[in-house]
Amino acid sequence: MANNGGFFDCGDYGESPDGLVNDDGVIEIKSVIASTHYATLKRNLFDPSYKWQLIGHLDCAGCD
């Protein structure tokens, strides 16, 4: 079950994931062009350009 992510204040920085999933996950939704989406599907992994944003979400929200 996903809920609105809200804003997490982490002192030196803040994070606002698009949603929280259960008790230990976050979701970040991107709207990209078809070729970018296809590359992500082929890679079977998130776009590496979002790596630090996702790490920040997990760290600040205290999620796994």
Side-chain angles (χ1 to χ4, degrees):
M1 179 175 167
N3 295 308
N4 182 355
F7 181 79
F8 294 88
D9 183 351
C10 297
D12 293 336
Y13 70 102
E15 290 287 336
S16 56
D18 291 329
L20 302 176
V21 181
N22 297 325
D23 293 330
D24 61 351
V26 298
I27 187 170
E28 182 65 29
I29 300 169
K30 301 296 184 190
S31 179
V32 297
I33 61 174
S35 59
T36 301
H37 182 63
Y38 182 68
T40 299
L41 293 174
K42 282 179 45 179
R43 189 174 38 256
N44 198 31
L45 187 65
F46 61 85
D47 187 326
S49 64
Y50 301 118
K51 176 182 178 178
W52 293 109
Q53 179 184 27
L54 296 171
I55 289 172
H57 287 346
L58 293 170
D59 178 57
C60 198
C63 296
D64 289 332

